[in-house]
Amino acid sequence: MSDIENDQKGGIGQERVYVSEIQRFCVHDGPGIRTVVFVLGCPLRCKWCQNPENMKPVPQLLFSGGGCIGCGACVPACPRGANTVDGDEHCLLDRKACTACGRCAEVCQPGARKLSGTPYTVDEVYEEIIKDRVVYSNTGGGVTLSGGEFAMYPDFARRLLERCKRENIHTALETCGYVKWEAFERIAPYTDLFLYDIKALDQKTHKEWTGVDNKQILENLSRLPSLGKEIIARVPLVPGVNDDEGEFTGIVELVRSLDSVRGLHIMPFHHIGRTKYEMLDKPYLVGGLKEPDERLLERCRDIAKTHGLLVDIGGSDCFTAVEKKRAKRDERFFIYDF
Amino acid sequence: MKLTPRLEKIKKRLFTEDFKDRGTWYFDGVTILTDDEIKKEPLVVRKALALEYIASNLPAYIKRDELIVGNPNLNSVACGIVLPLYATEKELEKARLHSLDQNSVWGHHPPKWNDIIKRGLSAFKEDVGRAFEREYSKKKPSEEALDEYRAMIFSLNAVIRFANRHAAAALGECKNERDPVRKKELFEIFKACSRVPEHPAATYQEALQSYWFAYCMINSGGEFIPLARGDQYLFPYFHRDLEKGRITNEEAIDLTGSFLAKCNERVLLNTKEWENYYTDGIFSQGKVPDESVATNITGGYEQRGFTWKEDEDINSESNFNYGQSANDWLMNFVVGGLKRDGTDGTNELSYLIIDLMHDMELIMPTLAARVHKKSPDEYLRKIAEVLRFGQGEPAIYNDDAIIPGFVDMGVPLEDAREYSNDGCWEVLVPGKSYFSYAHVLNLRCLEWVFTRGKSILREGLQEGLDTGDPAQFESFEEFYSAYKKQVDARIDFQCHRRLENLGMSNMIAPDPLMSALMDDCVKKGKDITQDGTRYIFQQILVTGLSHTVDSLAVVKKLVYEEGTVGMEELVDAVTRNWEGHTLLWETVRNRVPKFGNDDEYVDDIAVWVLEDFETRVGEWNKKQDKVLFPCGIGTFENYAFLGRGIGASADGRTAGDALAPNFSPSAGFDVKGPTAAIKSITKPALLKYFCGCPLDLSVNSNEFEGEAGIERMAGLIRSYCDLGGQILTITSCNVETLKDAVENPQKHQSLRVRMGGLSAYFVNMAPVQQQNIIKRFQKSGAF
């Protein structure tokens, strides 16, 4: 982790961070309509990860074979000779020789190659964020920092969020929790909402599926309420990891024991991220997992509800602001009660 | 809202009986020219006598569950109109030379519905009578005006006759009815039909019945007319009856639903079963006989008179656009919005109608909701709640953007606040407007710059100007000015033609009934087809905007800025439909900014294109005072047809492809999502485009789930309005779209799927994953 934090190449981590995407019109990452900033670099290696291009702290070359027209423009563009043309149909990429410099992506006319990860300054990210300011104020939306793990760049995050708060934009951090406690302390003054992932309570399971143990994550979680911000716990519901009743109930009980956490988002595992693994030539390790069915989801919802939590499957609802509005609305009096 | 038992029954009847019934087209081959006395009458009076014939001969009957009664003749925008013959062969022959016939009643404009309901037709008859006397007492009375007045009286009487026949039918059924509840209802129907629309409506039932009878007769006379601001006209009656306890809540719902059901009974679900009575004169305003057809297309109506051909390809001339508008009567209905005095007009009926349209799953009347800064949050939430389910209705109309546009045109503020929409989506002042439009095909103008005025798809036919060899243009400015020349010529052509054609259809298709029900026609003694109405709007439409702007961006960036593509190469590529230019095709599609992504480079081009367009049209407004020429941006539902005659365009669109609808970005290229699209389309000032420039948004329904989803949708609508957007339609994604995306991925590149933490473009996913997602949507729309 410290390697990444100390990556000073081009001010990365301090003045700049690598951003894979700044996505507008997002609705599953906090209240209202939001812009989500995806940063590169994550301390975890979850086998089910849906954004594998954001795991490493450096840019990655995505190559979608289906989009390639075999024109061969990438062959001379590559300084390391990593590209060849296979017949007339397709260009091939030798990942071992590739350093993800992105020169082939620049000349790929159909856009079959894309370099994922562009250095951004706080100002540059902010410029993108404010484009939807009108939408934030009308929907109670704002910005969500995601990734990767944005809390790995606490100073950058703090400066960016401070900038947003100055303009009264709602701010959220989506986090895996595996960072130094001080990172949260740095970011919290300018963060309205924490979307905090809990993957598993069992140490062994956690280590096996995410690559790290959960001690730091749980410790941070227990201290997080002391920062006085809205917290919603998020459980990626993955078969074999946390979908048995005992484990799931354990997570729910833990969440319930934290005084200020009221909301739980259940994020069902799915296979849609598989395409990205193909584009990265990365092995997809969870091909054999079954997606949670309706019955399982209902059972999990019931467990969370019985424990007095507000629960949403998919993560687009149960925010304080919306709940307040709903309560207010129910008080309204209608002339004709249709 | 749970439907009442009656509305459940009516809904069931609609879907299981009416929507499967092909119905009967009355009056085909019928003539009213049966004796010399009739033949001697002037044409306008004969038209009124034809209406009288319709009113006396359309079957008057009452369906078993309904409270509002009356059935107009069959007709439809796509399948035509049938009227009894009232014109002589000589008259018809002359009209044919001008592409006109008896069916050339233009529709689109609503009459003074409020006055019909409130004052009753007897008051209109008195108005006409007084005007007649005034004219008659002049030294040299106008024969034409006197004829028109006579025709107006006959027509108004015809509507009353139609109502009275239903009164008789209701009384007849009442006598035989054994069920005491229904017996009472039939008696109430009898009472309403005996009173309205002749007399002022006194109850909610009478108000609805008056509205509907007037609609039946105007429409059966050939006019496809909208219902305008129904919630405003009806609310006083609705409110009074409820307040006084004259009707219960349930009865109020039943009456409203029964009225809405009437608007749908002619729908035929299998559009291939519609009989076809289309004639060339429908939606024609006439033309001077020697014009060439190819360059004078008004709007795609020419392509409607088709019958489905089973043995032909689905993309054949007959089939490619088949069924479009078959179940359409231009029957728009507007709720909410500012009142004449500037206060908010949203009322309980606005909510009820939105709910009923949704719960009864009706397609008619096409619903629009006016909103403004002071519209109640609750109203926005109601609209949002319904829109989330993806029917695209209601369409949103932004008062704060539209009303200033009318005022800028010289329409008084009070009239401007009264605006409603016409049959499609353009705005007008109901009861005071004649409305029509003309397309300027901007994209074809751009084609002519490449080809020196020759059509790519019509074998080199010289259609536009020869603006010189584009390869010789030294700068983008020079190229753009050639484009502007082509566009200006078309604007001039269309405006000139609108003025030239004004009143032409009066030779064969006057409408004395509509004229009696419009402001100023009675005063002037003129027909609506002449220049009788207070306002005459002829909207000039930018057509194919996104493709034009994107193509200009390609020329600017690749040819003139980067110099990576030669003009000859680009011309060759578009004339040969990209054959032999695969790499260039990829480049123009993927490497040049596209309109709709909040990208300044290309949005600025849209600003220039629109500013230049409105300036030229503005000159025509200064030049003359007969016609108001507002601007608009649109294709209507004819985008497939409109694109069919245009060759490949420089943005990568292939020859003959459909255009992007209305003001929308090109399909598949608005990859930054709806908020970016909204920012792009509101970058240009839209004041001069107040008359209509709709954005058609497609969103995923799974992005608007739950309580939070309603807030999001409502906020998105507010944002559109705050940014100065004008008309907005929102369609949530459905399984059909997803399936089409599998077949035609290039058309759906912007379709996003979001599953929890992952966001991906649907078309980028592996086939199996696509099938998975389709399954998800089929299941519940939820995760």
Side-chain angles (χ1 to χ4, degrees):
Chain A
M1 191 164 81
S2 62
D3 289 348
I4 300 160
E5 274 185 354
N6 294 332
D7 181 359
Q8 294 295 311
K9 197 171 52 179
I12 292 295
Q14 301 295 319
E15 294 310 311
R16 290 183 174 78
V17 293
Y18 282 119
V19 170
S20 66
E21 202 176 355
I22 300 177
Q23 193 172 11
R24 296 163 70 175
F25 192 70
C26 295
V27 297
H28 295 91
D29 314 272
I33 292 176
R34 312 184 70 82
T35 296
V36 179
V37 186
F38 292 93
V39 77
L40 296 195
C42 182
L44 268 58
R45 289 292 177 269
C46 304
K47 290 181 182 166
W48 62 80
C49 181
Q50 301 296 335
N51 296 316
E53 76 280 21
N54 296 343
M55 277 183 184
K56 291 188 182 167
V58 289
Q60 303 288 307
L61 184 72
L62 298 172
F63 179 34
S64 146
C68 174
I69 57 168
C71 71
C74 52
V75 177
C78 180
R80 296 179 160 252
N83 300 320
T84 46
V85 183
D86 173 30
D88 280 342
E89 298 284 293
H90 276 289
C91 298
L92 300 176
L93 166 67
D94 177 5
R95 283 277 177 190
K96 279 186 206 117
C98 173
T99 59
C101 69
R103 269 172 227 169
C104 57
E106 278 167 28
V107 298
C108 180
Q109 302 303 313
R113 286 159 187 262
K114 191 187 158 227
L115 189 69
S116 174
T118 312
Y120 270 82
T121 63
V122 167
D123 284 350
E124 285 163 351
V125 179
Y126 180 72
E127 280 304 302
E128 281 300 306
I129 292 171
I130 54 158
K131 284 183 176 170
D132 275 339
R133 161 190 276 158
V134 175
V135 180
Y136 307 147
S137 68
N138 278 308
T139 62
V143 63
T144 299
L145 303 187
S146 182
E149 175 55 61
F150 223 120
M152 295 200 333
Y153 315 103
D155 292 333
F156 189 99
R158 182 186 163 102
R159 286 201 305 279
L160 177 60
L161 296 179
E162 184 185 359
R163 196 73 201 273
C164 295
K165 283 321 301 174
R166 236 187 280 152
E167 296 299 323
N168 230 358
I169 294 171
H170 184 273
T171 57
L173 175 75
E174 207 163 18
T175 180
C176 69
Y178 193 75
V179 291
K180 287 182 196 149
W181 170 248
E182 292 70 33
F184 289 130
E185 277 185 327
R186 292 282 295 151
I187 301 170
Y190 304 104
T191 307
D192 297 316
L193 168 68
F194 285 92
L195 297 164
Y196 200 99
D197 268 19
I198 305 170
K199 275 117 186 172
L201 295 183
D202 182 74
Q203 274 292 358
K204 227 180 96 195
T205 312
H206 200 277
K207 178 97 185 166
E208 183 194 334
W209 285 86
T210 71
V212 301
D213 71 43
N214 61 8
K215 196 165 154 265
Q216 173 106 61
I217 296 172
L218 297 179
E219 202 181 296
N220 283 344
L221 178 61
S222 68
R223 293 174 75 179
L224 202 59
S226 69
L227 298 174
K229 301 295 181 170
E230 182 179 358
I231 303 164
I232 290 176
R234 293 194 141 186
V235 180
L237 195 68
V238 184
V241 179
N242 52 24
D243 70 332
D244 81 73
E245 203 152 326
E247 180 72 12
F248 187 80
T249 309
I251 293 175
V252 167
E253 279 166 357
L254 170 71
V255 173
R256 194 63 191 87
S257 72
L258 302 164
D259 262 359
S260 58
V261 190
R262 278 287 163 276
L264 179 76
H265 286 166
I266 299 172
M267 316 297 280
F269 165 79
H270 50 69
H271 283 295
I272 300 150
R274 177 181 229 143
T275 319
K276 287 186 177 175
Y277 285 83
E278 285 162 15
M279 289 163 86
L280 287 163
D281 291 319
K282 249 183 191 236
Y284 187 62
L285 302 172
V286 289
L289 290 191
K290 205 173 139 262
E291 298 180 5
D293 59 20
E294 210 62 45
R295 251 216 331 241
L296 174 63
L297 291 176
E298 272 320 302
R299 221 174 52 227
C300 292
R301 191 204 294 269
D302 284 348
I303 294 171
K305 270 193 177 164
T306 342
H307 283 77
L309 291 176
L310 286 170
V311 56
D312 181 69
I313 296 172
S316 65
D317 210 338
C318 71
F319 307 105
T320 323
V322 179
E323 290 305 319
K324 273 187 197 155
K325 260 196 172 166
R326 191 203 315 254
K328 211 167 131 193
R329 183 171 181 238
D330 290 344
E331 288 166 12
R332 262 193 65 124
F333 172 70
F334 286 90
I335 307 177
Y336 306 115
D337 188 24
F338 292 127
Chain B
M1 200 183 89
K2 202 179 162 301
L3 286 180
T4 62
R6 179 192 310 273
L7 295 187
E8 283 291 2
K9 269 189 228 159
I10 290 182
K11 182 177 173 183
K12 193 171 166 208
R13 166 179 38 96
L14 286 173
F15 282 88
T16 57
E17 295 171 34
D18 295 337
F19 292 178
K20 290 180 179 162
D21 183 0
R22 302 177 64 195
T24 310
W25 294 71
Y26 296 98
F27 314 124
D28 184 33
V30 169
T31 180
I32 64 151
L33 304 173
T34 47
D35 59 53
D36 288 343
E37 202 181 323
I38 294 174
K39 283 183 199 163
K40 264 190 283 178
E41 287 286 6
L43 183 95
V44 67
V45 172
R46 276 180 272 135
K47 172 69 188 274
L49 294 174
L51 277 172
E52 212 166 65
Y53 187 91
I54 294 170
S56 310
N57 290 283
L58 264 183
Y61 59 98
I62 290 148
K63 297 186 181 182
R64 62 179 183 268
D65 302 310
E66 64 186 9
L67 298 173
I68 305 301
V69 303
N71 305 287
N73 196 8
L74 275 188
N75 51 44
S76 113
V77 168
C79 303
I81 304 164
V82 172
L83 296 174
L85 188 70
Y86 62 82
T88 64
E89 190 44 49
K90 216 175 131 197
E91 287 162 344
L92 287 168
E93 203 174 304
K94 186 183 161 208
R96 262 195 294 272
L97 288 174
H98 294 82
S99 287
L100 293 166
D101 60 29
Q102 285 196 161
N103 297 335
S104 300
V105 268
W106 179 248
H108 288 76
H109 16 240
K112 292 195 282 183
W113 291 120
N114 199 32
D115 285 14
I116 294 170
I117 298 167
K118 209 169 145 185
R119 300 176 65 217
L121 297 186
S122 55
F124 283 84
K125 278 167 66 181
E126 281 169 29
D127 291 347
V128 177
R130 269 193 300 274
F132 188 97
E133 271 181 44
R134 208 166 42 235
E135 188 65 37
Y136 197 70
S137 62
K138 283 181 187 167
K139 254 189 213 149
K140 272 190 185 168
S142 150
E143 284 299 323
E144 204 186 11
L146 294 179
D147 290 342
E148 182 78 34
Y149 289 139
R150 249 177 354 113
M152 284 177 178
I153 296 285
F154 290 165
S155 313
L156 292 167
N157 281 337
V159 186
I160 296 166
R161 162 135 185 80
F162 186 65
N164 290 339
R165 287 179 55 228
H166 285 81
L171 194 61
E173 288 211 17
C174 188
K175 279 179 192 151
N176 300 327
E177 181 61 55
R178 297 247 175 111
D179 174 10
V181 177
R182 185 61 183 160
K183 199 177 179 75
K184 189 167 172 293
E185 283 169 10
L186 285 163
F187 193 71
E188 289 300 318
I189 293 170
F190 156 71
K191 276 188 350 199
C193 297
S194 337
R195 283 190 33 83
V196 294
E198 183 174 12
H199 302 293
T203 64
Y204 185 48
Q205 179 166 4
E206 285 182 9
L208 290 163
Q209 189 61 65
S210 181
Y211 206 173
W212 183 245
F213 274 143
Y215 176 85
C216 286
M217 282 311 296
I218 299 170
N219 176 254
S220 299
E223 299 267 10
F224 296 109
I225 46 161
L227 294 166
R229 306 186 68 183
D231 64 338
Q232 304 302 307
Y233 313 145
L234 296 168
F235 183 69
Y237 305 93
F238 170 88
H239 183 64
R240 199 187 315 147
D241 280 10
L242 278 168
E243 204 181 41
K244 291 194 172 166
R246 193 183 281 150
I247 51 173
T248 63
N249 277 355
E250 183 169 333
E251 282 164 337
I253 296 170
D254 279 352
L255 285 164
T256 315
S258 187
F259 173 84
L260 295 173
K262 291 310 289 181
C263 303
N264 292 271
E265 288 168 0
R266 290 178 291 176
V267 166
L268 189 56
L269 283 184
N270 182 357
T271 52
K272 289 176 193 167
E273 289 184 355
W274 270 102
E275 287 174 48
N276 199 334
Y277 291 88
Y278 206 85
T279 61
D280 290 340
I282 293 176
F283 296 116
S284 166
Q285 309 197 26
K287 60 179 187 186
V288 282
D290 62 352
E291 282 182 300
S292 84
V293 176
T295 49
N296 291 339
I297 294 155
T298 301
Y301 293 108
E302 297 86 340
Q303 289 283 328
R304 285 206 169 117
F306 287 133
T307 304
W308 177 264
K309 295 202 172 121
E310 207 57 68
D311 54 338
E312 286 183 11
D313 183 74
I314 49 165
N315 197 34
S316 75
E317 276 310 305
S318 295
N319 294 351
F320 88 97
N321 209 19
Y322 181 81
Q324 194 80 286
S325 314
N327 289 316
D328 187 12
W329 294 264
L330 306 186
M331 199 194 268
N332 270 319
F333 194 102
V334 182
V335 295
L338 289 170
K339 294 196 279 199
R340 223 178 147 71
D341 62 6
T343 58
D344 176 48
T346 314
N347 58 47
E348 270 73 11
L349 201 45
S350 326
Y351 293 84
L352 181 60
I353 287 166
I354 294 173
D355 267 338
L356 285 177
M357 286 298 294
H358 180 254
D359 296 336
M360 293 178 79
E361 298 179 82
L362 303 175
I363 58 166
M364 285 285 134
T366 318
L367 200 60
R370 281 178 51 173
V371 302
H372 54 87
K373 277 216 159 55
K374 286 180 268 171
S375 290
D377 279 340
E378 204 52 44
Y379 173 62
L380 264 290
R381 291 176 53 87
K382 174 59 70 191
I383 294 167
E385 205 180 317
V386 170
L387 277 176
R388 293 186 306 156
F389 298 105
Q391 303 143 317
E393 288 194 27
I396 310 298
Y397 281 66
N398 180 11
D399 284 3
D400 301 321
I402 293 168
I403 292 168
F406 274 109
V407 173
D408 177 69
M409 234 203 146
V411 172
L413 181 60
E414 287 74 18
D415 272 7
R417 286 182 184 138
E418 279 284 12
Y419 85 86
S420 68
N421 53 4
D422 77 333
C424 313
W425 39 250
E426 313 93 305
V427 295
L428 46 66
V429 185
K432 298 175 196 253
S433 311
Y434 177 88
F435 188 92
S436 178
Y437 67 91
H439 286 284
V440 169
L441 289 170
N442 296 59
L443 189 61
R444 195 166 53 175
C445 292
L446 193 59
E447 172 175 320
W448 291 335
V449 179
F450 288 122
T451 61
R452 307 185 66 164
K454 291 189 169 66
S455 167
I456 293 176
L457 294 183
R458 280 184 285 271
E459 286 159 15
L461 194 71
Q462 186 76 36
E463 292 179 338
L465 304 173
D466 179 358
T467 37
D469 178 2
Q472 302 302 315
F473 297 156
E474 282 178 2
S475 63
F476 177 70
E477 285 65 38
E478 213 175 309
F479 181 91
Y480 183 82
S481 92
Y483 156 77
K484 197 170 157 319
K485 248 182 237 159
Q486 300 278 9
V487 174
D488 286 352
R490 291 310 296 171
I491 293 173
D492 293 351
F493 173 87
Q494 290 291 25
C495 292
H496 178 74
R497 185 174 166 218
R498 299 291 106 184
L499 290 164
E500 191 179 68
N501 292 0
L502 197 64
M504 208 180 260
S505 66
N506 185 249
M507 75 168 77
I508 193 75
D511 194 338
L513 177 56
M514 271 300 270
S515 307
L517 303 172
M518 280 283 189
D519 258 358
D520 291 12
C521 288
V522 175
K523 202 163 80 190
K524 294 182 191 166
K526 282 192 168 178
D527 196 85
I528 183 170
T529 51
Q530 296 165 302
D531 53 354
T533 55
R534 181 151 323 158
Y535 308 112
I536 299 174
F537 294 106
Q538 299 270 5
Q539 184 190 25
I540 307 297
L541 288 156
V542 173
T543 314
L545 180 86
S546 68
H547 302 287
T548 305
V549 168
D550 290 347
S551 298
L552 284 167
V554 166
V555 172
K556 183 170 186 276
K557 188 163 192 281
L558 300 182
V559 178
Y560 293 105
E561 285 171 9
E562 294 178 2
T564 46
V565 177
M567 183 59 82
E568 284 101 338
E569 191 187 350
L570 194 56
V571 171
D572 192 58
V574 295
T575 43
R576 292 173 53 198
N577 196 19
W578 304 102
E579 212 186 300
H581 294 277
T582 313
L583 207 57
L584 179 59
W585 187 67
E586 297 286 359
T587 308
V588 301
R589 286 161 50 86
N590 300 309
R591 298 274 149 169
V592 181
K594 296 282 183 283
F595 179 67
N597 294 296
D598 201 4
D599 184 320
E600 225 169 52
Y601 185 88
V602 63
D603 293 352
D604 280 345
I605 296 177
V607 172
W608 305 334
V609 164
L610 292 180
E611 277 177 1
D612 289 333
F613 192 91
E614 71 186 47
T615 306
R616 187 66 166 201
V617 174
E619 286 167 17
W620 281 90
N621 280 317
K622 284 177 214 141
K623 252 185 253 195
Q624 49 79 43
D625 56 8
K626 275 199 147 154
V627 167
L628 295 166
F629 287 110
C631 299
I633 305 168
T635 57
F636 306 114
E637 66 279 33
N638 305 317
Y639 44 90
F641 166 74
L642 289 164
R644 208 162 164 92
I646 305 176
S649 41
D651 60 340
R653 179 187 147 278
T654 49
D657 267 6
L659 303 179
N662 299 321
F663 198 3
S664 303
S666 297
F669 290 107
D670 51 338
V671 295
K672 290 269 172 79
T675 58
I678 289 172
K679 286 287 293 294
S680 280
I681 71 119
T682 53
K683 179 123 204 256
L686 298 175
L687 182 73
K688 303 281 182 189
Y689 292 84
F690 75 93
C691 197
C693 48
L695 172 66
D696 301 316
L697 271 188
S698 305
V699 296
N700 276 311
S701 22
N702 79 341
E703 286 166 339
F704 294 97
E705 280 169 15
E707 191 76 12
I710 298 176
E711 296 291 338
R712 287 189 179 102
M713 181 64 89
L716 189 68
I717 295 166
R718 285 266 192 223
S719 305
Y720 181 79
C721 295
D722 283 357
L723 288 165
Q726 201 242 12
I727 302 174
L728 174 68
T729 69
I730 300 176
T731 312
S732 301
C733 173
N734 56 33
V735 180
E736 272 61 45
T737 315
L738 293 170
K739 285 183 177 161
D740 191 50
V742 173
E743 299 300 321
N744 303 297
Q746 69 284 1
K747 287 187 189 153
H748 299 277
Q749 287 190 16
S750 63
L751 184 62
R752 299 185 315 166
V753 277
R754 187 64 201 259
M755 300 287 162
L758 168 112
S759 169
Y761 290 115
F762 182 76
V763 296
N764 287 344
M765 305 180 108
V768 183
Q769 303 305 346
Q770 291 180 331
Q771 291 313 319
N772 275 340
I773 291 178
I774 289 174
K775 263 188 249 157
R776 282 169 202 274
F777 272 96
Q778 268 168 335
K779 208 164 52 188
S780 63
F783 278 58

